[in-house]
Amino acid sequence: MTESTDMPSTSLELGLIGNCQIGALIDTDGRIVWCCLPRFDGDPFFSRLMDTTDRGYFAIELQDQVESRQYYQRNTAILCTELTDKYGGRIRITDFCPRFRLYDRTFRPEIVVRRVKCLSGTPVIRIRLRPTTAYGEREPETTHGSHHIRYLGQGRVTRLTTDASITHVLQESPIVLEGELNFALGPDESVTESVNAMCQRFETQTTTYWQEWARGLAIPFEWQNAVIRAATTLKLSTFEDTGAVIAAMTTSVPEAADTQRNWDYRYCWLRDAYFVVHALNRLGATATMENYLNYIINLVVGAAEHELQPLYGIGGETRIEEYEVSGLAGYRGMGPVRVGNAAYHQVQHDVYGAVVLAANQAFFDERLARPGDEALFRRLTILGEQAARLFDKPDAGIWEYRGRARVHTYSSIMCWAACDRLARIAAHLGLDEDATRWRQQADRMHDVICREAWSESRQAFTESFGGDTMDASLLLMHELDFLAADDPRFVSTVGAIEAELRRGDHLFRYAAADDFGDPENAFNICTFWYIDALWAIGRRDEARRLFENMLECRNAQGLLSEDLDTISHELWGNFPQTYSMVGLINSALHLSRSWEEAV
């Protein structure tokens, strides 16, 4: 492994392609720099994003390149990169993962398709396909035939089928591009038709699928393109086989430079559940929402009377052991690179509210094929009992503190929300005795939280019972119906949070030192929560300005990561972050003028 001397610097100026089975990240020069196979949490076949060596990518390089332009085909997950050389030669690389209806089901193979076309001049290209295996420990062995190359590693064979010269690809030698070349990278299966015909057909059908999907979205009048891109990204983060929605495509992109805050986010966090379901519901993406609800309900059934975990694998796996790998140097060399996430065995009481809030949709949404019934309600009451028992007990909190436990106010409110929604569900089902019991339970918890979490000196609800510091998650008290927007306690809490956690136009999660020292970057979802809170309390011009500012902080393809440098506005943290994209969607739907007002 040799250090790169001429590779472009690593950044999160990346586009995402995928098909709800796999995903790939592509930089502005058209290099695939991250792609895990055979699913989101698999071994990265392309790992350059997490390395400093000249490998782990799939590049279609243009000789003497001087310019690049990247964009999505309208309302699709098909990414185009146009490269221009100093002589006026220009090429277009079209990247996508096939997804469309076939034989009455969705066809979503573990395939990445790349099509490169000459647009003008006599461009000269070079193909560099340098995969890795075992998290960078090795590079796959290769065999080849007349139209394919097979990559063997980690008990898996991946095949590249192409109409380009196999010799030129293997030797990375120059190719004068006169028409179009096609590359299909996927399982070790023979292609029984022309690769050009197959890739063209896949592109046409995938375009149709995404444009029809986008057409069915319920979007706001304002910021339509931003919402469509965020919604498409949310869809791409769904592992359709089980319905799970991952937190991000990546592992170990640091929350801030050289901080060791490097975590694997390729799993499903229950804390995201309510917000994801809420966004999908408001978008009208009911099939995706129902599939995700089924994933969550399956976890409830599996948990029985045991405590819920904060996160699960995308197949519902309960053990996600965390370890560091030595084969990858990390993002810009800022290791460690971690696989798995030890937070799965933490105690986080907010998960009970997150699950009940998400499942609540099933009882009130008449569009769903399988509405909630008394049997599901009885299963959820097990979670309600846990919430009532644990709401005033210490936990690691929503932000997963690894070195301390407190009675976190947000966790307590989410436990209250579990009991409050169970009361509403019971009333909806006509179970009067249950409705009364859960309403009394929720009211008791509400009284305790208001007494123990309120600080007279700060005139605000604080991060923990008896504490004196602020936590951005408490901006959600109105969203969760714990307090009305015009309740003076909510208004003053918003003021206390902005005084302590606002940096410029962005918000930190918290300001106090944690296991890794003082926080350095803003947390994007918290800024969206702040925007929504300002809107709720009547500071609407300011909310709109801050929202527009957040749109400017997206990368060129409209995507956001987890964190943001408040000075440079550089994106940090795992990418693209589902939480951030959901925050954008929900804020846009809150703030936008209605269609009736605007048209």
Short mmCIF file of all heavy atoms in Angstrom, two decimals, residues 454-460 467-468:
data_model
loop_
_atom_site.label_atom_id
_atom_site.label_comp_id
_atom_site.label_asym_id
_atom_site.label_seq_id
_atom_site.Cartn_x
_atom_site.Cartn_y
_atom_site.Cartn_z
N TRP A 454 -37.49 20.98 36.11
CA TRP A 454 -37.57 22.43 35.99
C TRP A 454 -36.58 23.09 36.92
O TRP A 454 -36.46 22.74 38.09
CB TRP A 454 -38.98 22.91 36.31
CG TRP A 454 -39.13 24.41 36.28
CD1 TRP A 454 -39.17 25.25 37.36
CD2 TRP A 454 -39.23 25.23 35.13
NE1 TRP A 454 -39.30 26.55 36.94
CE2 TRP A 454 -39.34 26.57 35.57
CE3 TRP A 454 -39.24 24.96 33.76
CZ2 TRP A 454 -39.45 27.63 34.68
CZ3 TRP A 454 -39.37 26.04 32.88
CH2 TRP A 454 -39.47 27.35 33.34
N SER A 455 -35.85 24.06 36.39
CA SER A 455 -34.90 24.83 37.19
C SER A 455 -35.43 26.25 37.37
O SER A 455 -35.58 26.99 36.39
CB SER A 455 -33.53 24.88 36.49
OG SER A 455 -32.69 25.83 37.11
N GLU A 456 -35.70 26.61 38.61
CA GLU A 456 -36.17 27.97 38.89
C GLU A 456 -35.10 28.99 38.56
O GLU A 456 -35.39 30.07 38.04
CB GLU A 456 -36.58 28.08 40.36
CG GLU A 456 -37.94 27.50 40.68
CD GLU A 456 -39.08 28.24 40.00
OE1 GLU A 456 -38.92 29.46 39.74
OE2 GLU A 456 -40.12 27.62 39.71
N SER A 457 -33.84 28.65 38.85
CA SER A 457 -32.76 29.61 38.60
C SER A 457 -32.55 29.85 37.11
O SER A 457 -32.26 30.97 36.69
CB SER A 457 -31.46 29.12 39.24
OG SER A 457 -31.06 27.88 38.68
N ARG A 458 -32.71 28.79 36.28
CA ARG A 458 -32.54 28.95 34.84
C ARG A 458 -33.85 29.31 34.15
O ARG A 458 -33.84 29.69 32.97
CB ARG A 458 -32.01 27.65 34.21
CG ARG A 458 -30.65 27.17 34.71
CD ARG A 458 -29.54 28.17 34.39
NE ARG A 458 -29.41 28.43 32.98
CZ ARG A 458 -28.59 27.75 32.15
NH1 ARG A 458 -27.84 26.77 32.63
NH2 ARG A 458 -28.49 28.09 30.89
N GLN A 459 -34.98 29.16 34.87
CA GLN A 459 -36.31 29.34 34.27
C GLN A 459 -36.42 28.53 32.99
O GLN A 459 -36.85 29.00 31.93
CB GLN A 459 -36.57 30.82 34.00
CG GLN A 459 -36.93 31.63 35.24
CD GLN A 459 -38.26 31.16 35.85
OE1 GLN A 459 -39.34 31.34 35.27
NE2 GLN A 459 -38.19 30.56 37.05
N ALA A 460 -36.06 27.25 33.14
CA ALA A 460 -36.05 26.35 31.98
C ALA A 460 -36.02 24.91 32.45
O ALA A 460 -35.62 24.62 33.58
CB ALA A 460 -34.83 26.63 31.10
N GLY A 467 -30.49 19.08 37.31
CA GLY A 467 -29.32 19.62 36.62
C GLY A 467 -29.45 21.10 36.34
O GLY A 467 -30.46 21.73 36.66
N ASP A 468 -28.41 21.67 35.71
CA ASP A 468 -28.46 23.10 35.39
C ASP A 468 -27.91 23.39 33.99
O ASP A 468 -27.67 24.55 33.65
CB ASP A 468 -27.69 23.91 36.43
CG ASP A 468 -26.22 23.56 36.49
OD1 ASP A 468 -25.77 22.64 35.75
OD2 ASP A 468 -25.49 24.20 37.28
#
